[in-house]
Amino acid sequence: MSCVTPGTEPQRPLRIAILLNSYRSRLLPAIRASYERTIGAVAPDARLAFYEPANKYGEFPDPACFDLVVFGGSNVDPRKSHQWILDVHAFLRRLVTHFPEKKVLGICWGHQTISRVFGGKVVDAARPEMGVATVNLTEAGRQFFPEAAILGSFKLQQHHRREVAVAPAAFVQLAQGNQCLLSESNMILTFQGHPEKDAETARLRMHDSKRWFGFDAQLDEKAWARLQELIFMEHDGPAIWRRILDWIWEPPVLGTGIVDKVSKM
C-alpha cells in the first residue's frame, strides 16, 4: 500500500483505518459490517482497514498510509489499565506527536479514551443511554455542522453508560454535555454517539437493557417496545459521516500546542 502525502485532497479513494476495541466480542463482525454500510453509503469507494488491538497484541495501523484514523467503541471501561488499553494510549500519543497533520476520529469509547489521554475526565453516567437521542449543539457546533445549524441539534444512535465529565484542554465543545469535541488544532474530532451504528447493529445490544435499566422483553413489554422505537428512529448518521469526510481535507490550525496537552498518565 502506498502511503498518503498530506496537504491536498488526493485523486483516489479515501483510506480509513478503524480500531475496533471490543474485547473478545461475538459482535465484532457485525460492528465491522456496520462501518462498511454506513461509510459506504456516503463514500462507496472508501477503503477501510480494520484493526483489533484488544484481541491482537500490537496490531495498529501505519498512520502514514491513511487519511483518517478512527478510535472506535469498546465493551471495556476506558478507565481500566489493561495492557492493550495502555497500548492504545501509547499509539495515540505517537500518532499526534509524529503525525500532527493526520486526522483522528473518536467514537464512544474512542471519544472517552482520547479525552482521558489529553487530560479530560470520564465518569459513570447518571443514566445510561441506548437508542437514538438528540445531541444539542453549541454555537461552535452550529458553525461546524451547518446542516444542523437551523435545528441546533442532530440525532445519533447512543450506547453508553459512561461520559466525559470534563473536556480536555485545547478542545472545543461542539455539543452540550461534551457529546462532541474538536481539538483547537482541527485535527481530532470525537463523538459520544455512534455515526457508524445503524438500527441493524444497534438492536444486537438491546439485551444490555436488563443490566442497564432492569428490564427485558419478558419483564416489561412496554419499556421494551419503547426501546425498540428508539433503536429504529431515524437519525443523522449519514449527514454526520458526510461532514466527517469533508473535514478530513480541512487544514490544521497551527500553533495550538496540542501535543503539549497529552497526558502522561
Side-chain angles (χ1 to χ4, degrees), residues 158-203:
Q158 305 285 340
H159 190 276
H160 63 95
R161 50 180 173 160
R162 301 172 191 94
E163 62 189 10
V164 176
V166 179
F171 279 73
V172 176
Q173 291 188 50
L174 299 185
Q176 296 175 16
N178 299 314
Q179 286 270 328
C180 182
L181 302 172
L182 177 69
S183 66
E184 292 178 355
S185 64
N186 196 40
M187 301 308 294
I188 306 172
L189 176 64
T190 70
F191 295 85
Q192 180 58 73
H194 290 268
E196 88 293 358
K197 186 173 286 188
D198 52 20
E200 181 178 341
T201 305
R203 68 179 180 82

Side-chain angles (χ1 to χ4, degrees), residues 26-179:
R26 64 180 177 80
L27 299 180
L28 277 167
I31 296 168
R32 174 174 176 154
S34 190
Y35 273 102
E36 292 171 338
R37 285 194 302 272
T38 57
I39 296 177
V42 298
D45 296 330
R47 296 180 182 177
L48 312 185
F50 295 90
Y51 299 82
E52 295 183 27
N55 304 306
K56 301 176 182 178
Y57 177 75
E59 183 177 76
F60 292 101
D62 177 357
C65 297
F66 296 94
D67 304 297
L68 176 69
V69 179
V70 181
F71 290 73
S74 179
N75 53 2
V76 179
D77 188 333
R79 298 167 294 186
K80 298 291 186 182
S81 296
H82 303 316
Q83 186 56 53
W84 72 265
I85 293 179
L86 299 180
D87 290 344
V88 170
H89 293 180
F91 171 70
L92 175 59
R93 294 187 185 102
R94 292 195 304 271
L95 174 57
V96 300
T97 301
H98 299 296
F99 298 89
E101 295 189 352
K102 188 66 58 179
K103 290 295 176 78
V104 176
L105 177 67
I107 295 174
C108 195
W109 186 90
H111 162 77
Q112 297 166 5
T113 293
I114 290 170
S115 291
R116 290 194 73 231
V117 169
F118 280 92
K121 183 179 180 181
V122 174
V123 300
D124 292 335
R127 180 173 173 78
E129 278 195 295
M130 189 185 304
V132 175
T134 298
V135 178
N136 293 307
L137 298 173
T138 62
E139 183 55 38
R142 287 172 180 264
Q143 295 178 30
F144 187 85
F145 297 103
E147 285 190 42
I150 295 177
L151 288 178
S153 64
F154 55 74
K155 295 181 184 295
L156 277 185
Q157 291 279 1
Q158 305 285 340
H159 190 276
H160 63 95
R161 50 180 173 160
R162 301 172 191 94
E163 62 189 10
V164 176
V166 179
F171 279 73
V172 176
Q173 291 188 50
L174 299 185
Q176 296 175 16
N178 299 314
Q179 286 270 328

